[in-house]
Amino acid sequence: MERTLSIVKPDGVKKNIIGEVIRRFESAGLRIAALKMIRLSMDEAKRFYIVHKDKPFYGSLTEFMSSGPVVVMVIEGKDAISKVRELMGDTNPQNAAPGTIRADFASDVEHNIVHGSDSPESAGFEIPYFFSAVEIC
Ligand code: DAT
Ligand code: MG
């Protein structure tokens, strides 16, 4: 059993596909263990994406992530981290496999609908960034 942190980004919320993203996770046998809608401040987005602080897209990425509400959730299941990454597809929707969330809905590499932790280490940072132990069911 493994847990990962996923986010429906502001573009996914605006496109009205929160339910579609959740449906794909649930259909793959994963379970929603925690979920809430929040609006990140610029500072909160910057701290969440601190690993990318030296990348050229850090400023626009964190501006985008704080531009509207997001849905953050803890996903639980066997191999949840890699399963969610597989359902998401490649970061750049042009390289994402057909049938993945990003191939189906993302408009470009920056506005790519969904986030998923990329390792147990990042899940270990990202889950408690948004949820306390009593909020995870
Ligand atoms: P992922 O979200 O697939 O884990 P990442 O961790 O490398 O990708 O990057 C985090 C986010 O930053 C990504 O979802 C969208 C944005 N991003 C990544 N590469 C980018 C680029 N070349 N130009 C603009 N935004 C980029
Ligand atoms: Mg990443």
Side-chain angles (χ1 to χ4, degrees):
M1 217 36 96
E2 191 175 65
R3 283 177 177 170
T4 188
L5 190 280
S6 180
I7 307 177
V8 181
K9 297 184 180 185
D11 55 339
V13 173
K14 283 199 187 85
K15 286 180 176 173
N16 250 356
I17 53 170
I18 298 167
E20 174 63 17
V21 172
I22 292 173
R23 187 192 67 74
R24 289 179 183 219
F25 293 157
E26 290 184 331
S27 296
L30 297 165
R31 190 180 76 81
I32 311 299
L35 176 147
K36 60 189 168 190
M37 180 181 270
I38 54 173
R39 169 117 187 222
L40 295 174
S41 67
M42 184 75 181
D43 187 58
E44 288 162 346
K46 279 187 165 164
R47 281 189 286 123
F48 179 75
Y49 275 120
I50 196 73
V51 292
H52 293 305
K53 65 175 170 22
D54 297 323
K55 305 273 172 60
F57 54 81
Y58 185 57
S60 60
L61 168 66
T62 50
E63 240 167 64
F64 164 59
M65 289 301 290
S66 57
S67 68
V70 297
V71 173
V72 292
M73 50 195 154
V74 177
I75 312 292
E76 187 180 80
K78 190 173 180 305
D79 302 320
I81 295 171
S82 61
K83 269 191 195 159
V84 165
R85 297 288 303 187
E86 217 178 286
L87 293 163
M88 285 164 52
D90 192 273
T91 308
N92 186 340
Q94 291 187 332
N95 304 328
T100 59
I101 295 167
R102 284 165 165 173
D104 288 348
F105 300 110
S107 47
D108 58 76
V109 66
E110 186 167 285
H111 307 99
N112 60 11
I113 304 288
V114 69
H115 168 86
S117 309
D118 65 4
S119 65
E121 293 68 38
S122 60
F125 165 74
E126 293 175 357
I127 291 171
Y129 192 80
F130 292 112
F131 295 98
S132 68
V134 293
E135 290 178 304
I136 303 170
C137 304

